Amino acid sequence: MQEEAWDWSRQPDQQETSRYPHVVGLDTNLAFLSAASSLIVGLNAPPRHALAPTFDKKIPGCWYCDLSQADLDPRLPSPFTATGQAPTGPAWYTTPTLGYAQTLGMDVRPIEAYLRDEPGRYLDPWYKRLRNAYIDTMADLGVHEKIPQADYLTAMRKLSTADPAQLALLAAIKATAKGGLGKLREGPRELTGPYTRWPALDKLTWRPDIRAAVVAKARVTLHSKMRNMAEQTGRYPLAVLSDCVLYPARTPTALDIVPSGPDQQGMKGFIRLGVNPGFSKEEGVQSMPWYQHQLAQGLNPARYIKNEPAGT
């Protein structure tokens, strides 16, 4: 299926390079855990096969559909491919992707599908337990919910000096969220020959379709926020790697990019700074020449904005 996280970047245009001397990375907190919240997935197995089905966003499944007719702004990554480039023909998508295509005004006509008629919020208990653990641990570290965006940035800069035991707990919570989703498509742990089954395939929890739906929901949710950001601020992303977005900025801070809102806590439907899963943190700041240098080397700058000292 075409349901993987983004690895996309583009050249800034002349106006962006002249107006914005900086590039700021915004990383989504626990993006895939957030996407698991209230996600409707199929509870029954195996799925039923259908030819030329009518798309229904209430039915979880995998749909073979041609979305190459999409007319999208090239300054945004395509929400239908991991490369961010427009699809060139039919491909397999999960329900969240096709549902989003409909919200974009596209005529969605699947060619065939594998569908599950017993929907449910299978991941909700897992999500709620991890979310609560994450929020409580961040509060113990001095980063609270409903904190103004500017104060959130200040608190996050101090996070690395906090209690090591609490930081280790925080890392374990994040690893549990990431690893839990990975288990849904667990591969062989040892080398196996071609066409050889491995033990994970016989587990009830081996559900790559659920993982694909989570990734798809995270991707289209972020795309929706970037569309809203473009309409509200006139600013478009330069690069995306999974859940990290790079934006051009006038000043070297995430506050230059995100709308503030009346309570200084951001605006619903846009990229917001905050501790909640699905909100974002400042991942790194670099110069526009740095960004262009990374592109010239064939690299996605979103992969390196956190690791390199500013100005290198």
Side-chain angles (χ1 to χ4, degrees):
M1 290 185 290
Q2 296 291 326
E3 305 291 27
E4 293 297 336
W6 274 315
D7 186 347
W8 170 87
S9 58
R10 67 173 178 88
Q11 285 285 353
D13 61 32
Q14 185 175 2
Q15 184 181 39
E16 288 170 328
T17 56
S18 61
R19 292 181 60 187
Y20 303 109
H22 306 283
V23 176
V24 177
L26 302 173
D27 184 70
T28 306
N29 299 322
L30 296 173
F32 299 117
L33 178 67
S34 176
S37 173
S38 301
L39 179 66
I40 303 297
V41 301
L43 303 181
N44 61 303
R48 64 177 173 89
H49 183 236
L51 293 175
T54 299
F55 176 68
D56 186 341
K57 65 181 181 180
K58 296 180 181 180
I59 300 178
C62 303
W63 313 75
Y64 190 60
C65 189
D66 189 351
L67 299 179
S68 59
Q69 76 275 19
D71 183 18
L72 301 173
D73 193 314
R75 292 172 293 181
L76 291 170
S78 168
F80 308 128
T81 65
T83 63
Q85 304 303 315
T88 57
W92 288 98
Y93 301 99
T94 59
T95 299
T97 297
L98 292 196
Y100 186 63
Q102 281 192 331
T103 68
L104 296 176
M106 297 179 62
D107 184 17
V108 175
R109 297 187 180 185
I111 300 167
E112 62 176 310
Y114 287 91
L115 308 174
R116 299 178 191 266
D117 299 308
E118 296 180 20
R121 297 180 177 181
Y122 172 67
L123 298 174
D124 264 12
W126 177 77
Y127 160 78
K128 291 176 182 177
R129 183 177 292 270
L130 285 177
R131 181 201 179 275
N132 292 342
Y134 172 75
I135 291 295
D136 291 347
T137 303
M138 289 296 286
D140 290 341
L141 289 165
V143 188
H144 302 272
E145 290 187 86
K146 298 183 179 180
I147 186 174
Q149 294 187 123
D151 294 342
Y152 171 71
L153 290 182
T154 300
M156 290 299 290
R157 293 189 185 104
K158 300 176 181 178
L159 193 64
S160 62
T161 62
D163 179 10
Q166 289 291 330
L167 290 176
L169 175 59
L170 183 65
I173 294 169
K174 292 180 178 180
T176 301
K178 183 177 181 180
L181 290 173
K183 281 289 186 181
L184 295 172
R185 202 189 67 175
E186 182 181 354
R189 296 188 177 184
E190 300 177 354
L191 292 177
T192 59
Y195 311 110
T196 302
R197 292 181 64 83
W198 59 95
L201 297 178
D202 297 320
K203 296 180 180 179
L204 293 176
T205 53
W206 198 81
R207 289 289 302 273
D209 59 307
I210 294 180
R211 175 191 174 274
V214 171
V215 173
K217 184 182 175 185
R219 194 180 62 245
V220 300
T221 298
L222 182 54
H223 191 273
S224 177
K225 292 178 181 179
M226 292 190 295
R227 283 177 56 231
N228 292 340
M229 294 276 289
E231 294 172 2
Q232 175 76 14
T233 69
R235 218 173 301 192
Y236 290 81
L238 295 173
V240 186
L241 183 72
S242 187
D243 51 6
C244 179
V245 187
L246 268 56
Y247 272 96
R250 296 183 183 90
T251 58
T253 172
L255 297 174
D256 185 81
I257 301 166
V258 298
S260 61
D263 55 3
Q264 305 302 311
Q265 294 182 16
M267 296 172 59
K268 186 176 181 180
F270 297 80
I271 296 177
R272 304 167 68 179
L273 302 177
V275 69
N276 290 282
F279 286 28
S280 294
K281 63 180 180 292
E282 187 179 273
E283 184 75 352
V285 179
Q286 297 291 344
S287 68
M288 182 63 77
W290 173 90
Y291 178 87
Q292 293 174 306
H293 178 68
Q294 297 293 310
L295 283 185
Q297 297 184 77
L299 304 174
N300 184 343
R303 187 181 299 277
Y304 304 100
I305 193 164
K306 179 179 180 179
N307 298 327
E308 297 191 21
T312 60

